[in-house]
Amino acid sequence: MLMVLLAWSSIFFTTLLTPTKRLWTITTAQAFSVMALSLVWFYNNQFMMFSNSLFFIDHTSSALSILTCWLFPLTLIASQSKISLEPHYRQRIYIANSTFLQLMTLLAFTTADLMMFFIFFEASLIPTIIIITRWGAQERRMEAGMYLAFYTMLGAVPLMICLIKFYSAYGSLLPTLLSNEALKEIYISHPGLLWTACNMAFLVKLPLFFLHLWLPKAHVEAPIAGSMVLAGTLLKLGGYGILRMSPLIGENMVYYAYPMMFIAILGVLATALLCLRQTDLKSLIAMSSVSHMNLVVTAVLIQSPWAYSGALVLMISHGFTSSALFCLANTVYERTNSRAMVLLRGATVAFPLAAAWWLIVIIQNIAIPPTISFVGEFLIMASLFSWSSTAFLVVVLNLMFTTAYSLYVLWATQRGPLPHHIKSLHPFQVREHTLLLLHVMPALIIILKPILISL
Ligand SMILES: *[C@@H]1O[C@H](CO)[C@@H](O)[C@H](O)[C@H]1NC(C)=O
């Protein structure tokens, strides 16, 4: 743990000291070494937990921490072409801020104490806002930053109060120390309200439908690394928080927090429908994230072991898929300077290999069997069916709409007659192919041993 943190923090010195010519090469190489070191946590996952008084890695956090470390070098690779055109000091500040953001995320995943988790969870907000407002491309980025800050504040205060309440009830906030007997002593008069209050911060982060308005704005305005981190790891902080808090609050929450379940199931369906009428590629991908994350909310509300595993697997697979989709959208954006899908019609003829990446990533988004998204959705659907067949039917409808909008993306960007402006676009670089390979490969390999990432 300490080794990864040291390797990671050393990037701050690199950004200060290296000559500008080598800046991106050295930081990316360092980021790859962090990624390689983090793979050790797979071993913790199977046979033992790593824990001391500061850090705590168990089945839930190891997979998400590895995802964070894996995506870190990828964000650096993805932002190179745009950012390296800027003044030198701005490049350094950008790398430092993006490193800081992802380091905070990793610390939130691995820290043992819930109060420290809360602090790191909130600390990730500041660099996110800086990245969106300073490196965003459009003029409405200030508005996106304000939305993000306001929504996050909405959730933070109830969570803080809940943590203080838990501390006074149990005398500790270390999940390892909270034994089951201590948990039964606390008397709760309105369990559903308590669940909502404690998880409000996480529901905003995920985001739950109706609390999701900040997400499409933030994604549309953010530079590529911001979008990748938001979709890949920051949303997962919310899901992780709910999974961590759930043993503290109690069982059978789905009966008490019934309205939340209703909103989540409505959100799964409504956002999938909204995707069908987007013309902006980035906001479509953001909406599809909301749809997938609402499925995670239904799973964590059901609280069965299968649902928990499904939620975790879906979060991991969605981390890779949505990040890859944003990279693909960014390749389009860097060439045409537009996010409108119609502008890249017929690209298959011009960029055949890129079309293959699109196809693979879209297949992962639909959750067709040989991908881990399928494992996640299957586990969630099975536990949803045993809870209520009506809810199951609604989510089945969602699967159809997911397929429809994913194919719509594929058709709108790849098929059709070849327009003239495509012929003058510059071809794909090795950097972009590597980036997509590193997104697609882990998601395909992990299917050989899904136990590594499930609970
Ligand atoms: C992030 O960017 C701001 C300026 O936009 C800068 O003052 C700050 O030092 C940066 N943070 C880190 C951790 O480098």
Side-chain angles (χ1 to χ4, degrees), residues 12 15 92-98 100-101 127 130 134-135:
F12 289 117
T15 57
R92 290 171 197 273
I93 292 182
Y94 178 84
I95 297 180
N97 266 315
S98 132
F100 182 70
L101 165 62
I130 292 180
R134 280 203 73 178
W135 283 275

Side-chain angles (χ1 to χ4, degrees), residues 318-388:
H318 178 262
F320 286 118
T321 313
S322 66
S323 176
L325 277 172
F326 276 115
C327 287
L328 283 169
N330 187 54
T331 58
V332 178
Y333 183 71
E334 280 177 0
R335 283 176 178 70
T336 61
N337 277 322
S338 162
R339 301 186 308 267
M341 281 190 277
V342 277
L343 279 187
L344 208 76
R345 283 173 68 212
T348 315
V349 186
F351 310 121
L353 194 50
W357 294 127
W358 272 103
L359 183 67
I360 298 176
V361 175
I362 289 288
I363 280 178
Q364 286 182 0
N365 199 46
I366 307 179
I368 284 175
T371 60
I372 44 169
S373 325
F374 173 73
V375 180
E377 290 199 0
F378 177 78
L379 290 172
I380 295 179
M381 300 286 281
S383 38
L384 207 59
F385 181 68
S386 64
W387 176 66
S388 144

Side-chain angles (χ1 to χ4, degrees), residues 265-278 284 287-288 291-292 362 365-367 377 381 392-410:
I265 289 178
L266 180 73
V268 168
L269 198 62
T271 42
L273 277 171
L274 276 178
C275 282
L276 279 173
R277 57 179 300 276
Q278 301 283 334
L284 191 153
M287 277 297 176
S288 92
S291 173
H292 282 101
I362 289 288
N365 199 46
I366 307 179
E377 290 199 0
M381 300 286 281
F392 176 76
L393 281 180
V394 176
V395 177
V396 167
L397 260 185
N398 160 65
L399 287 190
M400 281 158 56
F401 291 129
T402 307
T403 314
Y405 76 72
S406 304
L407 291 179
Y408 162 57
V409 172
L410 196 64

Side-chain angles (χ1 to χ4, degrees), residues 100-101 104-105 117-128:
F100 182 70
L101 165 62
M104 285 301 117
T105 322
F117 169 72
F118 174 73
I119 292 170
F120 290 127
F121 179 79
E122 298 297 331
S124 65
L125 176 70
I126 301 160
T128 318

Side-chain angles (χ1 to χ4, degrees), residues 155-426:
V157 178
L159 176 61
M160 181 89 189
I161 296 173
C162 284
L163 284 179
I164 293 172
K165 181 178 163 55
F166 285 137
Y167 188 76
S168 64
Y170 304 139
S172 159
L173 282 177
L174 295 177
T176 34
L177 294 184
L178 299 167
S179 65
N180 275 330
E181 285 134 59
L183 291 186
K184 292 198 182 98
E185 286 167 17
I186 188 167
Y187 170 72
I188 303 166
S189 54
H190 297 289
L193 202 61
L194 182 78
W195 190 89
T196 314
C198 290
N199 290 322
M200 188 52 117
F202 308 132
L203 292 176
V204 167
K205 205 69 160 194
L206 260 175
L208 186 69
F209 191 57
F210 292 138
L211 297 173
H212 73 281
L213 288 180
W214 61 271
L215 186 80
K217 279 186 191 297
H219 271 309
V220 166
E221 305 297 325
I224 171 66
S227 293
M228 282 170 70
V229 175
L230 258 180
T233 48
L234 281 185
L235 304 191
K236 278 70 200 174
L237 268 182
Y240 174 73
I242 300 182
L243 286 179
R244 263 280 172 271
M245 294 290 271
S246 64
L248 297 181
I249 301 178
E251 287 167 358
N252 288 333
M253 270 309 134
V254 63
Y255 296 104
Y256 303 118
Y258 202 74
M260 289 293 134
M261 190 66 168
F262 181 75
I263 294 175
I265 289 178
L266 180 73
V268 168
L269 198 62
T271 42
L273 277 171
L274 276 178
C275 282
L276 279 173
R277 57 179 300 276
Q278 301 283 334
T279 50
D280 180 335
L281 191 52
K282 266 190 149 181
S283 88
L284 191 153
I285 304 169
M287 277 297 176
S288 92
S289 309
V290 181
S291 173
H292 282 101
M293 288 298 111
N294 274 285
L295 204 55
V296 171
V297 177
T298 62
V300 291
L301 267 169
I302 291 178
Q303 288 186 314
S304 69
W306 271 40
Y308 279 154
S309 300
L312 194 62
V313 175
L314 189 62
M315 283 199 284
I316 302 290
S317 72
H318 178 262
F320 286 118
T321 313
S322 66
S323 176
L325 277 172
F326 276 115
C327 287
L328 283 169
N330 187 54
T331 58
V332 178
Y333 183 71
E334 280 177 0
R335 283 176 178 70
T336 61
N337 277 322
S338 162
R339 301 186 308 267
M341 281 190 277
V342 277
L343 279 187
L344 208 76
R345 283 173 68 212
T348 315
V349 186
F351 310 121
L353 194 50
W357 294 127
W358 272 103
L359 183 67
I360 298 176
V361 175
I362 289 288
I363 280 178
Q364 286 182 0
N365 199 46
I366 307 179
I368 284 175
T371 60
I372 44 169
S373 325
F374 173 73
V375 180
E377 290 199 0
F378 177 78
L379 290 172
I380 295 179
M381 300 286 281
S383 38
L384 207 59
F385 181 68
S386 64
W387 176 66
S388 144
S389 43
T390 325
F392 176 76
L393 281 180
V394 176
V395 177
V396 167
L397 260 185
N398 160 65
L399 287 190
M400 281 158 56
F401 291 129
T402 307
T403 314
Y405 76 72
S406 304
L407 291 179
Y408 162 57
V409 172
L410 196 64
W411 249 247
T413 57
Q414 303 298 317
R415 309 296 302 183
L418 184 67
H420 284 297
H421 72 271
I422 294 246
K423 288 181 196 145
S424 58
L425 299 182
H426 56 86

